[in-house]
Amino acid sequence: MSIEMKTYGDRRWLYSALAVAALSTILHFGAELYLLEEPAFPLDDSWIHLQFARNLAAGEGMSFHPGRAVAGSTAPLWTGLLALGAWSPSLAIVWSKLLGIVFHLIATAALFSAARSWGLSALWSGLALLLFVLTDWVQWSALSGMEISLFLALSTVGLAVHLRWVGADPAERGTLPWATLWFALAALARPEGLLLLVLSWADAALRWETDQDDLRPRLQVGLPWALRQALCATIVLAPVGLYYLSISGSPLPTTFGIKSAGDGGVGLPNLRDLWLMVRVVFQPQPWMVLFLGAGLVASLRQARRGLLPVLWLFALPIAFSVLAGGARPNLGNFGRYLFPLFPVLLLVGCRGLDAATQRLPETLRFGAVRLRLRPLLALAVLAPTALGVLPGLQRYLTNVANVTDSDVAAGRWIAENLPPDARLAVQDIGAIAYFAPNPLVDMVGIVNPEILPYVRGDKMGDHPTRLGGWADFLRQSSVDYLVLFPRSYGGLAAIGEVMPGLVPVHSIRLERNITMAADELLVLAVSRSREAPGRE
């Protein structure tokens, strides 16, 4: 990807934003090391990625438990990159954070290129850049140990390449499917990238002609173009898809079905769901959400420059609502599955801001004082996001502390106090699997999808607690201990109804919990066949 530098102002905006991005992530990491005394992650999912990567680096293939391949990695490309540094436990965590920072910087540069290719001025492109690097959830993502920054980088690079191709004269367009390549790679970082890939094809295939006030689409590509796109996507996606198909019977990771499908199957979009998703992006970017309407109208009026930012911005939330099928859509912790929308939210919002301020005078005079209105407006738009940086840092540190004080602490306690061959049934599998040598049964179903019919399918049973099938599966699996947050399963009394005789052997209580499923994590002995340590 090349970045088109039209003026010295372009370089100044880009370099300033990159400096802010690098400085903010380094300060986040430094605060983490200083206050928490060790690097860690804000979610247990990060440890899941690292466990997959460690086994991959050890030659065990795509497995969570050595020797058993499973389609549980949502982001196989991220897993492969983590594996390059996962061979050393002391390096693995730092390596994941370094990768996150690098991809964060790539996404920042790509966003500037996309903004300029989409016709935004240097001022509004620079504003979009600063809003992006100061967004608390974007900074959180860069150090999260998860695939978010990788997906942001690949999808935004693809967006920049796509918009440059769409906006170019047909005679000057290249024939190689570069945008498809980037979007296909993005699909290996998040399955939602498949939707982005299809939307990019639709946007590239149509050229919008203006007939008076009407916009009319005209097909501008032929069969050779379509075949090149399909071939490129197949070459990138087929190996992983076929590998997952051979393991699980589906080309998609097991997490896609677990986290996306509601009990009622697919359905129509729900306004309640869409409002819930708007709230995720409104808190860090209120002005951008307020200017979306103007941005949509301005984008349609300039449809020849491409509509992919608008299509992606609106299609992804609708897709989540449809897949939920009437249930509450699973947006990931803190709505993180929507974080990839921040770049296009900023592009469309800044376009709306640009359109809304076209008739404003350049300056206002107060006696001898002259004020330039647009830079002042840009500062006003930037203020809420900038003011969210420190609260965002505090939340990030609390997230890391919560995971470390619960799941990581439990994994270390288990490694020191339980027999290494004791079979565990675990709610949060990541950190416990990473730190404890014990065989695990995943009660959520990411790496043990065979549990799913027992927890939400035809084997669930009719026990009033809705835990009958769950208990049957755990008994069939001959587990020795449960490691869970009891509140997630209706409380200890409800669990005791379907699995009588459980003995608490270890308890962890969180004082300032904003991250985990509940405030108390318990290790419960299923039987007295093994000598259990006394409860602490």
Side-chain angles (χ1 to χ4, degrees), residues 417-419 481 528-533:
N417 292 276
L418 297 186
Y481 295 91
R528 304 302 297 173
S529 60
R530 299 178 185 271
E531 184 177 352

Side-chain angles (χ1 to χ4, degrees), residues 156-174:
T156 310
V157 168
L159 181 65
V161 173
H162 171 86
L163 292 175
R164 183 169 298 178
W165 186 90
V166 170
D169 187 273
E172 298 176 356
R173 293 170 177 167

Side-chain angles (χ1 to χ4, degrees), residues 217-255:
R218 180 174 64 84
L219 189 66
Q220 63 172 338
V221 298
L223 183 60
W225 179 89
L227 291 176
R228 286 195 298 269
Q229 312 308 311
L231 179 61
C232 178
T234 300
I235 291 173
V236 175
L237 297 173
V240 173
L242 291 174
Y243 180 64
Y244 277 1
L245 184 65
S246 68
I247 296 172
S248 65
S250 170
L252 295 172
T254 57
T255 50

Side-chain angles (χ1 to χ4, degrees), residues 103-119:
F103 287 118
H104 175 49
L105 296 177
I106 292 173
T108 301
L111 178 59
F112 187 80
S113 179
R116 296 298 273 144
S117 297
W118 210 36

Side-chain angles (χ1 to χ4, degrees), residues 341-423:
L341 292 181
F342 279 120
V344 289
L345 170 68
L346 298 175
L347 290 179
V348 178
C350 284
R351 169 152 284 176
L353 187 60
D354 184 21
T357 58
Q358 285 295 324
R359 296 185 179 182
L360 289 179
E362 287 290 331
T363 61
L364 284 180
R365 289 190 177 185
F366 296 94
V369 179
R370 298 177 62 184
L371 299 177
R372 297 180 62 190
L373 283 184
R374 286 183 178 81
L376 285 176
L377 182 58
L379 287 175
V381 170
L382 191 63
T385 304
L387 292 174
V389 170
L390 288 180
L393 171 59
Q394 183 177 11
R395 180 178 56 234
Y396 168 79
L397 294 173
T398 304
N399 294 150
V400 175
N402 290 160
V403 176
T404 303
D405 292 343
S406 57
D407 289 340
V408 172
R412 289 169 171 164
W413 183 89
I414 290 167
E416 294 175 359
N417 292 276
L418 297 186
D421 61 338
R423 192 171 180 82

Side-chain angles (χ1 to χ4, degrees), residues 458-469:
D458 56 359
K459 298 181 180 180
M460 188 171 62
D462 55 2
H463 194 277
T465 63
R466 299 178 63 84
L467 297 175

